Amino acid sequence: MTDGQELSLGERLQIVYQRLTALPPATGPQEALRQLAETLTSVEDEYSGVPKDPKPELAFDGRMYPPRADYTTEEADGTLVAVTKGNVIYAKPDGELIITSRRTGETVYQRPGA
């Protein structure tokens, strides 16, 4: 954490989405997931107050982690689908990123690719 300010999970998610939106569009699915992972890690380092676990388990420790490789699959069209505790993340071949709620199925974040 850089400034000692701890924010709620919802506040941190909003910062993640704002920072993702400010980045250049991803040109492919791997880049879209990399941008998400780097942004999420940065925000959590700054605002969660929870040290990063190098081998996080599935139980929530107060910190959000990037999608795990073992919960990420590739569809026939090249879309990467990552399932997290609360969301399903779609990284499309053109770099479009769509995050949907597992609970409601609603899109909670979307940004176009290149």
Side-chain angles (χ1 to χ4, degrees), residues 14-96:
Q14 288 310 307
I15 294 170
V16 169
Y17 298 153
Q18 290 168 357
R19 290 186 183 179
L20 279 172
T21 299
L23 291 174
T27 58
Q30 291 84 4
E31 183 180 6
L33 284 184
R34 179 189 55 76
Q35 288 177 334
L36 173 62
E38 290 174 358
T39 302
L40 183 64
T41 299
S42 174
V43 169
E44 290 300 89
D45 287 347
E46 290 177 58
Y47 298 112
S48 75
V50 178
K52 181 179 179 183
D53 184 340
K55 292 188 175 187
E57 297 297 324
L58 296 178
F60 185 63
D61 66 1
R63 180 185 175 106
M64 295 180 288
Y65 291 92
R68 293 170 43 147
D70 56 342
Y71 286 85
T72 302
T73 58
E74 185 173 354
E75 295 185 338
D77 70 354
T79 297
L80 295 177
V81 180
V83 178
T84 68
K85 179 177 174 142
N87 297 305
V88 179
I89 301 161
Y90 300 90
K92 299 288 192 171
D94 67 354
E96 179 181 21

